[in-house]
Every structure is written in structure tokens, then in C-alpha cells.
Amino acid sequence: IFINDAQVIVADIQADNGVVHVIDAVLTPDLTPPSGTAMVQIIHNAEFETVSVLANGEEIIPFLAYKTATSYIEVPADVELDLELRSKRNFEPADPVFATVMFESDKTYIVGVHGTFDDSDDIPVELAIFDEASSSADTGEVGVQFFHGSYDAPTVDIVTGGNPIFDDVSYGEFGEEMLFIPAENGYIIDVTTADNSTTVASYKLDIDFWKGNTLTVFATGSLDDGTFAPWVALSNGGTYPLPVSNGFNDDNEGFARNFTVNNDINANDISVYPNPFLDQTTIQYQTNITGDVFFSVYDTNGQLIRQIENRQQDAGQYYIQLDMSTFPSGTYYLQSYMNNVFETQPIIKID
């Protein structure tokens, strides 16, 4: 009998606390750490916390807001990673969320974080992992995946041109595989019930600008409170909501009858267009009271890079031109204070 390369020369010696075997060599552990890595994108779709992400006690992502995503990042493979999502709130932060994962060398993953940080409901924050992802596509194509992250929505199909492209996807699940389609504008994406009998809503997907790359459409929000909507997570970490093509059909029954589309980016009636943008974009907002209004732009490390507006304004509708031409492409966060409410939303600068 051998243990690794050591042979047992005396067996079954009784001891007070067990049995001893004598071997003819010294066993030493392999102290060589795993050298492989994997590529991982994290889509943060768990209401409503901004979090930092730690792996084995070390902070790897300092700032990740709700409805935002990382780019594909390199992480250690073939070793257990104890992940922690830690709330960034200074006042009564939500309890941290822990999960243990292991990624295989040379594979590419998407991690969908879903659920809520509210202890009063029964929707815990969990991680869904898709292990057949890709961060790039052939020239002229875009890789597309779908993640169902809306906790009170039923199983759905994603249909385009009358054909389901993602079939019977339930809450907390990804589509069966990533699809690669021509990088064109004008796709109409229908969200239907699983049996395709009811078209809930339709959305426009323009992807000519993203040729050679990949994206994930993720269902977010809640049917009950009217915030259900599909968003897009680009492979570089940018996220944005899909615009509605035509609302739902009032004559439909069941799921569709209770469905309302909230295409506002946030409750303060603030919109940014275009988003994504090249160098400049426009912030449109409306305030209902006379009071202080200010906008700030932060990078993904939570560092303030622009202070745009900081003054008292009368009730009304306003426009601000935001010039980001001197900043590199990527995701930034626009924080607003208006009507006595703080809100944060992602904005994406592209090349």
C-alpha cells in the first residue's frame, strides 16, 4: 500500500485517538500555487446596494453599483475563491453576502448577481454562473447572452423575428448558450411568456457600434412595482436600458395585464442621451420644487472626476451638456441630488 510515493511498512498500530500507519518516506505538501487564470465579468443586479467585491479577503473591485457590470477581469483559477459583497453605505449598511466559487483555467465566465439586500423579503442575494462566455466575437458579429434577474417575473422567452433565441429562461438563469449574430441596428427583441402565446413588451436593440464584442441582456427590476426592464451589459463593463419599441398589448391576459413599463432611468425624471456616447452627451432633468441641484461624475473607483452643476434652481425642465472628451472610454457614474433625493446611474463613454 502506497500513499503518494511512500510505502506503508507497518500498518494498523492502535493509538488512543485512532490508528497509525508507518511509511518509509516523508510526505511534503505541494506548495506551488495554481498558475492558471480565468476571465470573469460580474453583472450586479441585486437591489439596491453599491458594493465592493473581495476575494479571499482582498478587495478586487472597489465600487460596483446596482445595474452596473465589470469588464472581463482576470482571476485565479483552479482554486477556491471566497467572495464577499460588502455594502458601501456608511449608514446602516446591508449585511455582506458570501459565496465560494471555483473557476477553471482558460475559461470565460459571466456571474449574474441577483436578489435583494432586504432581509425582510425572501429573495436572498445569490450568484448565477455561466461558464461558456466569450469576451469577443468575429469581425462583423456580436455575441449575445440573456440573464433573467427579475425576481417576480415568470419564465420567459426572448424572441426576435418570430423565433425564440433564448427559450424558457427562469429567474436566476442564463440562456443555454451565447449566440453570435450580425452586428446590425434595428433588432426588435420581444419578451414573451414561455409558451410564446403572449408578447409582453418589445424593445429595440442596436448593436452595429459593438461589432467584434459581446454583451448580455439582463432582465432587471420588479413587475409588481413597475420597474421591470431589460438592460444591456457590454463586455467592457458599460450598462444601459433598452428602449421600448412598442408597449405591451392591453388585450393580453395574465402576466401581460399586470405588466407596466417604466422606461425612466430613475425616479427624479433624469435622462442621459445618447448613452453610450462618444465625447459628449446631454443630461435632461426636471425638478418639481425650488431647491439645490447638483450633478457629479465618478469613476469606477469611486473617485470624483467632474462637478457639473451645484446651485439652487426653480421648478422646471433643464438641459446640461456633459463633455467627457478628455477622459478615456469606459463606465462612469453620474450622481444627482435633486428634490432632496440622491441617485446614481451609469454613463458609458465609447471610442
Side-chain angles (χ1 to χ4, degrees):
I1 300 175
F2 285 84
I3 302 172
N4 294 342
D5 293 327
Q7 186 175 10
V8 175
I9 56 176
V10 181
D12 299 333
I13 300 173
Q14 294 296 322
D16 290 340
N17 60 345
V19 177
V20 174
H21 304 308
V22 179
I23 58 178
D24 64 355
V26 176
L27 296 178
T28 58
D30 182 6
L31 299 179
T32 303
S35 58
T37 60
M39 299 300 294
V40 178
Q41 180 181 40
I42 301 176
I43 301 173
H44 179 11
N45 189 46
E47 298 178 352
F48 285 101
E49 295 294 315
T50 296
V51 300
S52 58
V53 181
L54 292 80
N56 294 344
E58 180 181 350
E59 187 176 70
I60 58 173
I61 302 169
F63 188 88
L64 191 61
Y66 174 50
K67 293 184 183 178
T68 66
T70 68
S71 60
Y72 280 91
I73 58 177
E74 192 174 47
V75 300
D78 304 320
V79 61
E80 285 191 346
L81 296 177
D82 294 322
L83 299 182
E84 177 185 352
L85 306 181
R86 184 179 295 175
S87 172
K88 299 289 284 186
R89 264 193 296 161
N90 292 325
F91 177 72
E92 295 183 354
D95 292 336
V97 173
F98 300 93
T100 299
V101 298
M102 180 181 291
F103 302 111
E104 295 182 27
S105 295
D106 303 322
K107 293 189 68 173
T108 303
Y109 297 81
I110 305 171
V111 176
V113 183
H114 57 99
T116 83
F117 283 85
D118 187 350
D119 293 335
S120 65
D121 61 33
D122 191 24
I123 313 166
V125 176
E126 297 177 320
L127 274 58
I129 298 177
F130 177 67
D131 63 357
E132 298 289 340
S134 175
S135 60
S136 62
D138 291 340
T139 302
E141 290 188 338
V142 173
V144 179
Q145 176 57 286
F146 173 69
F147 175 63
H148 189 333
S150 179
Y151 50 81
D152 59 2
T155 299
V156 298
D157 286 0
I158 305 300
V159 177
T160 185
N163 299 310
I165 55 175
F166 296 104
D167 193 36
D168 292 347
V169 186
S170 299
Y171 169 62
E173 294 181 353
F174 284 93
E176 185 174 349
E177 61 182 359
M178 180 169 275
L179 305 179
F180 293 87
I181 60 177
E184 299 174 355
N185 294 335
Y187 286 102
I188 303 299
I189 304 297
D190 299 322
V191 179
T192 76
T193 52
D195 60 4
N196 304 131
S197 64
T198 301
T199 298
V200 179
S202 298
Y203 301 87
K204 296 193 300 181
L205 179 64
D206 293 334
I207 55 175
D208 178 69
F209 77 98
W210 205 237
K211 57 174 65 77
N213 298 292
T214 63
L215 60 86
T216 298
V217 178
F218 62 101
T220 185
S222 164
L223 285 176
D224 288 343
D225 64 17
T227 58
F228 176 92
W231 280 54
V232 170
L234 302 174
S235 51
N236 72 346
T239 59
Y240 61 93
L242 282 181
V244 174
S245 174
N246 52 26
F248 66 91
N249 185 348
D250 289 328
D251 295 330
N252 290 333
E253 298 295 332
F255 172 36
R257 186 172 295 282
N258 297 319
F259 181 86
T260 58
V261 175
N262 182 352
N263 202 36
D264 293 335
I265 292 181
N266 54 47
N268 256 339
D269 196 18
I270 303 166
S271 60
V272 178
Y273 61 91
N275 189 23
F277 59 91
L278 292 174
D279 290 323
Q280 294 183 339
T281 189
T282 300
I283 303 169
Q284 176 184 321
Y285 64 96
Q286 181 169 328
T287 178
N288 299 320
I289 62 175
T290 298
D292 292 333
V293 174
F294 66 81
F295 293 90
S296 305
V297 178
Y298 294 84
D299 64 17
T300 54
N301 292 318
Q303 300 298 312
L304 177 66
I305 62 170
R306 289 288 303 275
Q307 189 81 42
I308 306 168
E309 192 79 33
N310 188 2
R311 61 189 175 92
Q312 189 175 84
Q313 290 184 325
D314 294 330
Q317 189 172 68
Y318 298 88
Y319 300 84
I320 298 175
Q321 285 293 120
L322 174 59
D323 187 346
M324 296 285 288
S325 58
T326 60
F327 295 93
S329 61
T331 298
Y332 298 87
Y333 301 99
L334 176 68
Q335 184 182 79
S336 64
Y337 177 80
M338 189 172 67
N339 298 335
N340 299 318
V341 174
F342 276 101
E343 293 177 350
T344 303
Q345 65 182 86
I347 58 174
I348 305 122
K349 183 178 185 296
I350 58 176
D351 292 328

PDB file of all heavy atoms in Angstrom, residues 69-95:
ATOM      1  N   ALA A  69     -21.825  46.723 -14.297  1.00  0.00           N
ATOM      2  CA  ALA A  69     -21.062  45.496 -14.534  1.00  0.00           C
ATOM      3  C   ALA A  69     -19.581  45.818 -14.580  1.00  0.00           C
ATOM      4  O   ALA A  69     -19.179  46.963 -14.820  1.00  0.00           O
ATOM      5  CB  ALA A  69     -21.501  44.828 -15.840  1.00  0.00           C
ATOM      6  N   THR A  70     -18.772  44.811 -14.373  1.00  0.00           N
ATOM      7  CA  THR A  70     -17.339  44.942 -14.597  1.00  0.00           C
ATOM      8  C   THR A  70     -17.042  44.623 -16.054  1.00  0.00           C
ATOM      9  O   THR A  70     -17.883  44.074 -16.771  1.00  0.00           O
ATOM     10  CB  THR A  70     -16.550  43.968 -13.705  1.00  0.00           C
ATOM     11  OG1 THR A  70     -16.811  42.614 -14.143  1.00  0.00           O
ATOM     12  CG2 THR A  70     -16.941  44.118 -12.247  1.00  0.00           C
ATOM     13  N   SER A  71     -15.867  44.946 -16.494  1.00  0.00           N
ATOM     14  CA  SER A  71     -15.367  44.361 -17.737  1.00  0.00           C
ATOM     15  C   SER A  71     -14.960  42.926 -17.422  1.00  0.00           C
ATOM     16  O   SER A  71     -15.116  42.445 -16.294  1.00  0.00           O
ATOM     17  CB  SER A  71     -14.171  45.169 -18.243  1.00  0.00           C
ATOM     18  OG  SER A  71     -13.139  45.157 -17.267  1.00  0.00           O
ATOM     19  N   TYR A  72     -14.448  42.204 -18.414  1.00  0.00           N
ATOM     20  CA  TYR A  72     -13.921  40.877 -18.128  1.00  0.00           C
ATOM     21  C   TYR A  72     -12.566  41.032 -17.444  1.00  0.00           C
ATOM     22  O   TYR A  72     -11.656  41.659 -17.983  1.00  0.00           O
ATOM     23  CB  TYR A  72     -13.775  40.062 -19.412  1.00  0.00           C
ATOM     24  CG  TYR A  72     -15.091  39.471 -19.874  1.00  0.00           C
ATOM     25  CD1 TYR A  72     -15.920  40.158 -20.750  1.00  0.00           C
ATOM     26  CD2 TYR A  72     -15.524  38.236 -19.401  1.00  0.00           C
ATOM     27  CE1 TYR A  72     -17.129  39.631 -21.164  1.00  0.00           C
ATOM     28  CE2 TYR A  72     -16.736  37.692 -19.800  1.00  0.00           C
ATOM     29  CZ  TYR A  72     -17.533  38.399 -20.678  1.00  0.00           C
ATOM     30  OH  TYR A  72     -18.741  37.869 -21.070  1.00  0.00           O
ATOM     31  N   ILE A  73     -12.469  40.505 -16.236  1.00  0.00           N
ATOM     32  CA  ILE A  73     -11.249  40.639 -15.450  1.00  0.00           C
ATOM     33  C   ILE A  73     -10.619  39.267 -15.242  1.00  0.00           C
ATOM     34  O   ILE A  73     -11.302  38.246 -15.227  1.00  0.00           O
ATOM     35  CB  ILE A  73     -11.529  41.311 -14.087  1.00  0.00           C
ATOM     36  CG1 ILE A  73     -12.570  40.517 -13.290  1.00  0.00           C
ATOM     37  CG2 ILE A  73     -11.990  42.750 -14.281  1.00  0.00           C
ATOM     38  CD1 ILE A  73     -12.844  41.074 -11.911  1.00  0.00           C
ATOM     39  N   GLU A  74      -9.318  39.266 -15.064  1.00  0.00           N
ATOM     40  CA  GLU A  74      -8.571  38.018 -14.864  1.00  0.00           C
ATOM     41  C   GLU A  74      -8.577  37.658 -13.384  1.00  0.00           C
ATOM     42  O   GLU A  74      -8.268  38.499 -12.532  1.00  0.00           O
ATOM     43  CB  GLU A  74      -7.141  38.182 -15.369  1.00  0.00           C
ATOM     44  CG  GLU A  74      -6.364  36.888 -15.470  1.00  0.00           C
ATOM     45  CD  GLU A  74      -5.001  37.097 -16.119  1.00  0.00           C
ATOM     46  OE1 GLU A  74      -4.294  38.051 -15.720  1.00  0.00           O
ATOM     47  OE2 GLU A  74      -4.644  36.334 -17.029  1.00  0.00           O
ATOM     48  N   VAL A  75      -8.935  36.415 -13.076  1.00  0.00           N
ATOM     49  CA  VAL A  75      -8.979  35.952 -11.687  1.00  0.00           C
ATOM     50  C   VAL A  75      -8.246  34.616 -11.596  1.00  0.00           C
ATOM     51  O   VAL A  75      -8.110  33.899 -12.589  1.00  0.00           O
ATOM     52  CB  VAL A  75     -10.431  35.785 -11.188  1.00  0.00           C
ATOM     53  CG1 VAL A  75     -11.177  37.103 -11.249  1.00  0.00           C
ATOM     54  CG2 VAL A  75     -11.162  34.710 -11.982  1.00  0.00           C
ATOM     55  N   PRO A  76      -7.758  34.251 -10.403  1.00  0.00           N
ATOM     56  CA  PRO A  76      -7.108  32.947 -10.236  1.00  0.00           C
ATOM     57  C   PRO A  76      -8.081  31.811 -10.530  1.00  0.00           C
ATOM     58  O   PRO A  76      -9.270  31.881 -10.208  1.00  0.00           O
ATOM     59  CB  PRO A  76      -6.679  32.951  -8.766  1.00  0.00           C
ATOM     60  CG  PRO A  76      -6.642  34.385  -8.369  1.00  0.00           C
ATOM     61  CD  PRO A  76      -7.710  35.059  -9.164  1.00  0.00           C
ATOM     62  N   ALA A  77      -7.563  30.752 -11.139  1.00  0.00           N
ATOM     63  CA  ALA A  77      -8.382  29.589 -11.491  1.00  0.00           C
ATOM     64  C   ALA A  77      -7.904  28.354 -10.737  1.00  0.00           C
ATOM     65  O   ALA A  77      -6.794  28.319 -10.197  1.00  0.00           O
ATOM     66  CB  ALA A  77      -8.334  29.338 -12.995  1.00  0.00           C
ATOM     67  N   ASP A  78      -8.783  27.344 -10.702  1.00  0.00           N
ATOM     68  CA  ASP A  78      -8.478  26.052 -10.089  1.00  0.00           C
ATOM     69  C   ASP A  78      -8.156  26.173  -8.604  1.00  0.00           C
ATOM     70  O   ASP A  78      -7.402  25.371  -8.050  1.00  0.00           O
ATOM     71  CB  ASP A  78      -7.326  25.360 -10.837  1.00  0.00           C
ATOM     72  CG  ASP A  78      -7.617  25.194 -12.313  1.00  0.00           C
ATOM     73  OD1 ASP A  78      -8.766  24.873 -12.653  1.00  0.00           O
ATOM     74  OD2 ASP A  78      -6.699  25.395 -13.131  1.00  0.00           O
ATOM     75  N   VAL A  79      -8.729  27.165  -7.962  1.00  0.00           N
ATOM     76  CA  VAL A  79      -8.572  27.350  -6.525  1.00  0.00           C
ATOM     77  C   VAL A  79      -9.861  27.986  -6.002  1.00  0.00           C
ATOM     78  O   VAL A  79     -10.501  28.780  -6.690  1.00  0.00           O
ATOM     79  CB  VAL A  79      -7.358  28.253  -6.206  1.00  0.00           C
ATOM     80  CG1 VAL A  79      -7.525  29.636  -6.803  1.00  0.00           C
ATOM     81  CG2 VAL A  79      -7.117  28.332  -4.708  1.00  0.00           C
ATOM     82  N   GLU A  80     -10.275  27.590  -4.812  1.00  0.00           N
ATOM     83  CA  GLU A  80     -11.493  28.152  -4.251  1.00  0.00           C
ATOM     84  C   GLU A  80     -11.308  29.634  -3.927  1.00  0.00           C
ATOM     85  O   GLU A  80     -10.309  30.028  -3.322  1.00  0.00           O
ATOM     86  CB  GLU A  80     -11.914  27.394  -2.989  1.00  0.00           C
ATOM     87  CG  GLU A  80     -12.528  26.038  -3.264  1.00  0.00           C
ATOM     88  CD  GLU A  80     -13.162  25.430  -2.033  1.00  0.00           C
ATOM     89  OE1 GLU A  80     -12.895  25.945  -0.920  1.00  0.00           O
ATOM     90  OE2 GLU A  80     -13.917  24.448  -2.165  1.00  0.00           O
ATOM     91  N   LEU A  81     -12.291  30.431  -4.323  1.00  0.00           N
ATOM     92  CA  LEU A  81     -12.294  31.854  -4.026  1.00  0.00           C
ATOM     93  C   LEU A  81     -13.484  32.134  -3.113  1.00  0.00           C
ATOM     94  O   LEU A  81     -14.640  31.877  -3.477  1.00  0.00           O
ATOM     95  CB  LEU A  81     -12.420  32.691  -5.302  1.00  0.00           C
ATOM     96  CG  LEU A  81     -11.277  32.605  -6.308  1.00  0.00           C
ATOM     97  CD1 LEU A  81     -11.610  33.437  -7.546  1.00  0.00           C
ATOM     98  CD2 LEU A  81      -9.972  33.081  -5.694  1.00  0.00           C
ATOM     99  N   ASP A  82     -13.214  32.645  -1.934  1.00  0.00           N
ATOM    100  CA  ASP A  82     -14.269  33.060  -1.018  1.00  0.00           C
ATOM    101  C   ASP A  82     -14.610  34.510  -1.322  1.00  0.00           C
ATOM    102  O   ASP A  82     -13.852  35.423  -0.984  1.00  0.00           O
ATOM    103  CB  ASP A  82     -13.816  32.906   0.439  1.00  0.00           C
ATOM    104  CG  ASP A  82     -13.604  31.453   0.814  1.00  0.00           C
ATOM    105  OD1 ASP A  82     -14.390  30.608   0.357  1.00  0.00           O
ATOM    106  OD2 ASP A  82     -12.644  31.160   1.562  1.00  0.00           O
ATOM    107  N   LEU A  83     -15.749  34.708  -1.990  1.00  0.00           N
ATOM    108  CA  LEU A  83     -16.161  36.039  -2.395  1.00  0.00           C
ATOM    109  C   LEU A  83     -17.015  36.689  -1.314  1.00  0.00           C
ATOM    110  O   LEU A  83     -17.793  36.025  -0.630  1.00  0.00           O
ATOM    111  CB  LEU A  83     -16.954  35.991  -3.701  1.00  0.00           C
ATOM    112  CG  LEU A  83     -16.247  35.435  -4.936  1.00  0.00           C
ATOM    113  CD1 LEU A  83     -17.171  35.512  -6.148  1.00  0.00           C
ATOM    114  CD2 LEU A  83     -14.942  36.165  -5.208  1.00  0.00           C
ATOM    115  N   GLU A  84     -16.871  38.002  -1.196  1.00  0.00           N
ATOM    116  CA  GLU A  84     -17.702  38.786  -0.283  1.00  0.00           C
ATOM    117  C   GLU A  84     -18.169  40.033  -1.020  1.00  0.00           C
ATOM    118  O   GLU A  84     -17.364  40.741  -1.627  1.00  0.00           O
ATOM    119  CB  GLU A  84     -16.926  39.196   0.969  1.00  0.00           C
ATOM    120  CG  GLU A  84     -17.735  40.080   1.913  1.00  0.00           C
ATOM    121  CD  GLU A  84     -16.918  40.586   3.088  1.00  0.00           C
ATOM    122  OE1 GLU A  84     -15.764  40.145   3.260  1.00  0.00           O
ATOM    123  OE2 GLU A  84     -17.433  41.443   3.841  1.00  0.00           O
ATOM    124  N   LEU A  85     -19.479  40.280  -0.995  1.00  0.00           N
ATOM    125  CA  LEU A  85     -20.044  41.528  -1.495  1.00  0.00           C
ATOM    126  C   LEU A  85     -20.333  42.390  -0.280  1.00  0.00           C
ATOM    127  O   LEU A  85     -21.192  42.065   0.545  1.00  0.00           O
ATOM    128  CB  LEU A  85     -21.327  41.264  -2.284  1.00  0.00           C
ATOM    129  CG  LEU A  85     -21.247  40.250  -3.428  1.00  0.00           C
ATOM    130  CD1 LEU A  85     -22.594  40.122  -4.121  1.00  0.00           C
ATOM    131  CD2 LEU A  85     -20.171  40.632  -4.422  1.00  0.00           C
ATOM    132  N   ARG A  86     -19.627  43.503  -0.174  1.00  0.00           N
ATOM    133  CA  ARG A  86     -19.690  44.340   1.027  1.00  0.00           C
ATOM    134  C   ARG A  86     -20.330  45.682   0.690  1.00  0.00           C
ATOM    135  O   ARG A  86     -19.880  46.401  -0.199  1.00  0.00           O
ATOM    136  CB  ARG A  86     -18.289  44.555   1.587  1.00  0.00           C
ATOM    137  CG  ARG A  86     -18.240  45.339   2.894  1.00  0.00           C
ATOM    138  CD  ARG A  86     -16.821  45.468   3.379  1.00  0.00           C
ATOM    139  NE  ARG A  86     -16.223  44.185   3.729  1.00  0.00           N
ATOM    140  CZ  ARG A  86     -14.949  44.038   4.090  1.00  0.00           C
ATOM    141  NH1 ARG A  86     -14.140  45.094   4.135  1.00  0.00           N
ATOM    142  NH2 ARG A  86     -14.483  42.841   4.393  1.00  0.00           N
ATOM    143  N   SER A  87     -21.401  46.012   1.412  1.00  0.00           N
ATOM    144  CA  SER A  87     -22.119  47.263   1.180  1.00  0.00           C
ATOM    145  C   SER A  87     -21.203  48.466   1.388  1.00  0.00           C
ATOM    146  O   SER A  87     -20.396  48.498   2.318  1.00  0.00           O
ATOM    147  CB  SER A  87     -23.324  47.352   2.118  1.00  0.00           C
ATOM    148  OG  SER A  87     -23.920  48.629   2.045  1.00  0.00           O
ATOM    149  N   LYS A  88     -21.348  49.464   0.517  1.00  0.00           N
ATOM    150  CA  LYS A  88     -20.552  50.690   0.621  1.00  0.00           C
ATOM    151  C   LYS A  88     -21.273  51.784   1.407  1.00  0.00           C
ATOM    152  O   LYS A  88     -20.735  52.874   1.572  1.00  0.00           O
ATOM    153  CB  LYS A  88     -20.238  51.221  -0.785  1.00  0.00           C
ATOM    154  CG  LYS A  88     -19.431  50.278  -1.655  1.00  0.00           C
ATOM    155  CD  LYS A  88     -18.005  50.162  -1.196  1.00  0.00           C
ATOM    156  CE  LYS A  88     -17.198  51.376  -1.569  1.00  0.00           C
ATOM    157  NZ  LYS A  88     -15.762  51.229  -1.262  1.00  0.00           N
ATOM    158  N   ARG A  89     -22.486  51.490   1.894  1.00  0.00           N
ATOM    159  CA  ARG A  89     -23.218  52.502   2.658  1.00  0.00           C
ATOM    160  C   ARG A  89     -22.540  52.762   3.990  1.00  0.00           C
ATOM    161  O   ARG A  89     -22.191  51.830   4.712  1.00  0.00           O
ATOM    162  CB  ARG A  89     -24.647  52.026   2.921  1.00  0.00           C
ATOM    163  CG  ARG A  89     -25.658  52.533   1.933  1.00  0.00           C
ATOM    164  CD  ARG A  89     -27.066  52.280   2.430  1.00  0.00           C
ATOM    165  NE  ARG A  89     -27.370  50.864   2.557  1.00  0.00           N
ATOM    166  CZ  ARG A  89     -28.363  50.384   3.291  1.00  0.00           C
ATOM    167  NH1 ARG A  89     -29.122  51.206   3.987  1.00  0.00           N
ATOM    168  NH2 ARG A  89     -28.591  49.094   3.356  1.00  0.00           N
ATOM    169  N   ASN A  90     -22.380  54.033   4.345  1.00  0.00           N
ATOM    170  CA  ASN A  90     -21.832  54.368   5.649  1.00  0.00           C
ATOM    171  C   ASN A  90     -22.885  54.253   6.746  1.00  0.00           C
ATOM    172  O   ASN A  90     -22.570  53.939   7.893  1.00  0.00           O
ATOM    173  CB  ASN A  90     -21.267  55.794   5.633  1.00  0.00           C
ATOM    174  CG  ASN A  90     -20.042  55.909   4.748  1.00  0.00           C
ATOM    175  OD1 ASN A  90     -19.248  54.986   4.671  1.00  0.00           O
ATOM    176  ND2 ASN A  90     -19.900  57.039   4.083  1.00  0.00           N
ATOM    177  N   PHE A  91     -24.144  54.512   6.384  1.00  0.00           N
ATOM    178  CA  PHE A  91     -25.225  54.493   7.373  1.00  0.00           C
ATOM    179  C   PHE A  91     -26.011  53.192   7.256  1.00  0.00           C
ATOM    180  O   PHE A  91     -26.589  52.888   6.215  1.00  0.00           O
ATOM    181  CB  PHE A  91     -26.153  55.683   7.146  1.00  0.00           C
ATOM    182  CG  PHE A  91     -27.340  55.717   8.075  1.00  0.00           C
ATOM    183  CD1 PHE A  91     -27.177  56.042   9.411  1.00  0.00           C
ATOM    184  CD2 PHE A  91     -28.612  55.408   7.618  1.00  0.00           C
ATOM    185  CE1 PHE A  91     -28.272  56.086  10.265  1.00  0.00           C
ATOM    186  CE2 PHE A  91     -29.704  55.427   8.460  1.00  0.00           C
ATOM    187  CZ  PHE A  91     -29.539  55.768   9.788  1.00  0.00           C
ATOM    188  N   GLU A  92     -26.005  52.392   8.302  1.00  0.00           N
ATOM    189  CA  GLU A  92     -26.725  51.128   8.352  1.00  0.00           C
ATOM    190  C   GLU A  92     -26.522  50.302   7.086  1.00  0.00           C
ATOM    191  O   GLU A  92     -27.471  49.999   6.350  1.00  0.00           O
ATOM    192  CB  GLU A  92     -28.220  51.367   8.586  1.00  0.00           C
ATOM    193  CG  GLU A  92     -28.537  51.984   9.938  1.00  0.00           C
ATOM    194  CD  GLU A  92     -30.033  52.139  10.181  1.00  0.00           C
ATOM    195  OE1 GLU A  92     -30.814  51.866   9.242  1.00  0.00           O
ATOM    196  OE2 GLU A  92     -30.411  52.509  11.296  1.00  0.00           O
ATOM    197  N   PRO A  93     -25.283  49.916   6.791  1.00  0.00           N
ATOM    198  CA  PRO A  93     -25.032  49.118   5.581  1.00  0.00           C
ATOM    199  C   PRO A  93     -25.725  47.763   5.650  1.00  0.00           C
ATOM    200  O   PRO A  93     -25.942  47.213   6.726  1.00  0.00           O
ATOM    201  CB  PRO A  93     -23.508  48.972   5.576  1.00  0.00           C
ATOM    202  CG  PRO A  93     -23.106  49.125   7.003  1.00  0.00           C
ATOM    203  CD  PRO A  93     -24.062  50.121   7.588  1.00  0.00           C
ATOM    204  N   ALA A  94     -26.075  47.247   4.486  1.00  0.00           N
ATOM    205  CA  ALA A  94     -26.670  45.915   4.418  1.00  0.00           C
ATOM    206  C   ALA A  94     -25.650  44.870   4.840  1.00  0.00           C
ATOM    207  O   ALA A  94     -24.430  45.081   4.766  1.00  0.00           O
ATOM    208  CB  ALA A  94     -27.159  45.635   3.002  1.00  0.00           C
ATOM    209  N   ASP A  95     -26.150  43.723   5.295  1.00  0.00           N
ATOM    210  CA  ASP A  95     -25.257  42.632   5.668  1.00  0.00           C
ATOM    211  C   ASP A  95     -24.469  42.159   4.451  1.00  0.00           C
ATOM    212  O   ASP A  95     -25.000  42.121   3.332  1.00  0.00           O
ATOM    213  CB  ASP A  95     -26.056  41.460   6.238  1.00  0.00           C
ATOM    214  CG  ASP A  95     -26.692  41.782   7.580  1.00  0.00           C
ATOM    215  OD1 ASP A  95     -26.176  42.680   8.273  1.00  0.00           O
ATOM    216  OD2 ASP A  95     -27.707  41.150   7.926  1.00  0.00           O
TER     217      ASP A  95
END
